[in-house]
Amino acid sequence: MAALLEWADDDDAPAPPPLLSKLVLRSGELPASVEAALWRGDQLGSPVTQVVATGYPSLDGELPGGGWPARSLTEVLQAQPTVLEWRLLAPAMRQVVEKREDIVIIGPPKAPHLPGLRDEGIDERRLVWIQASTPAERLWVTEQLVKANAAGIVVSWLPQARQEQIRRLQVCAQSCDSPVFLCRPAAAEHEPSAAPLRVQVSLGVDWELRVHLLKRKGGVHDGVLHLPSIPRGLAPLITPRLSKPSVLLAARKPRATAAETSHVLGSATSRPPAHRLPAH
């Protein structure tokens, strides 16, 4: 027997949920759930981004999410490879090793210095070094490791990577739960790149790293960050006086200038006067 459909009158219709009935938005205003998921171009990335802390509080404060982002590429640019990237990434690597995860490095131009890594608290048993001689091999190995999502941190040296190759790696990195770093020369600063984060690193006088954020998800970063970075193996050997070489250089410069000035003046004034012969 077919059931009869009974239509309810308007008076009997259920009232809308109280939250929806009280939701009143002004012009240009979005619901809270939508606003939380929206990223604006003048803001840093969403704070819920999966990150690994850099170990430098001042740098964390300038990065989206407060650390090295996962599911994304990060380019590290410097004038000479295998000099500063270890010092910049060592604190993050130390955190990864403490969680018993592996660090995979691909095609470094120089062999890793294992005693120095031990001084930084990085167990070499958690370091996987893949030797890839040609650019094509390094690129292929990097892509496969990013797709495998099997490492705590991936660091690859790709000085000759092209724009479309970096774009492909960025697409692969979006499904990787670990930070992926590409080490490239400083000259790549002027090349377009799909990497959402690009940092340029140089060495300061006072045992520090000078970091300039060339590109990040958010507003443009002006200026340079000065990150204290005394190697842990040298820290007990450096006296407080030697920890600030810039002060020593500034103190010596006036004395050197005065000495040079007196030498120049002395060479001009201490010369005996020339004797002129009388004119005939």
Side-chain angles (χ1 to χ4, degrees):
M1 184 176 180
L4 298 178
L5 296 177
E6 296 181 358
W7 297 95
D9 297 334
D10 294 340
D11 296 337
D12 298 333
L19 293 179
L20 296 178
S21 61
K22 296 180 180 180
L23 183 60
V24 179
L25 298 176
R26 296 188 299 269
S27 177
E29 187 178 1
L30 297 174
S33 59
V34 178
E35 184 71 26
L38 183 66
W39 171 74
R40 303 182 185 277
D42 59 347
Q43 301 173 346
L44 291 181
S46 172
V48 299
T49 304
Q50 183 177 352
V51 300
V52 174
T54 66
Y56 303 98
S58 58
L59 179 57
D60 287 339
E62 298 293 342
L63 295 180
W68 298 121
R71 302 181 180 274
S72 177
L73 290 183
T74 298
E75 285 191 7
V76 179
L77 310 182
Q78 60 174 325
Q80 184 177 356
T82 65
V83 174
L84 302 180
E85 60 267 56
W86 291 105
R87 291 172 61 177
L88 178 65
L89 304 179
M93 291 180 174
R94 189 161 52 246
Q95 299 175 53
V96 170
V97 170
E98 290 174 354
K99 295 189 295 184
R100 306 187 68 83
E101 297 179 353
D102 293 332
I103 300 169
V104 180
I105 61 174
I106 306 163
K110 299 179 181 179
H113 186 247
L114 297 183
L117 294 179
R118 295 191 198 101
D119 290 337
E120 293 293 336
I122 301 174
D123 188 353
E124 66 270 17
R125 292 174 295 181
R126 289 291 176 181
L127 182 67
V128 180
W129 174 17
I130 299 178
Q131 292 180 319
S133 56
T134 66
E137 290 176 351
R138 289 193 295 267
L139 186 65
W140 183 85
V141 172
T142 302
E143 181 176 341
Q144 300 308 311
L145 284 171
V146 172
K147 289 181 178 179
N149 192 19
I153 283 182
V154 177
V155 185
S156 179
W157 281 260
L158 296 175
Q160 301 172 345
R162 299 192 302 270
Q163 179 181 357
E164 63 274 11
Q165 295 170 338
I166 296 178
R167 186 184 302 111
R168 180 182 176 90
L169 288 177
Q170 168 60 21
V171 173
C172 298
Q174 292 177 357
S175 59
C176 182
D177 296 328
S178 305
V180 179
F181 297 94
L182 303 183
C183 300
R184 307 191 64 208
E189 171 189 357
H190 307 288
E191 300 176 4
S193 173
L197 179 60
R198 308 183 77 194
V199 299
Q200 190 174 50
V201 190
S202 59
L203 188 62
V205 178
D206 294 329
W207 303 97
E208 61 184 5
L209 299 178
R210 296 167 51 89
V211 177
H212 176 44
L213 301 181
L214 299 174
K215 179 183 178 182
R216 64 177 177 177
K217 187 179 180 182
V220 178
H221 179 264
D222 296 328
V224 177
L225 298 174
H226 299 265
L227 309 180
S229 181
I230 298 179
R232 298 179 67 178
L234 294 178
L237 306 177
I238 298 178
T239 62
R241 184 183 181 188
L242 295 179
S243 63
K244 289 290 184 181
S246 61
V247 177
L248 297 178
L249 295 176
R252 290 181 178 182
K253 188 175 181 180
R255 288 184 296 175
T257 304
E260 292 174 358
T261 304
S262 61
H263 174 72
V264 173
L265 294 178
S267 61
T269 57
S270 61
R271 185 180 305 167
H275 297 281
R276 297 184 178 181
L277 297 176
H280 295 282

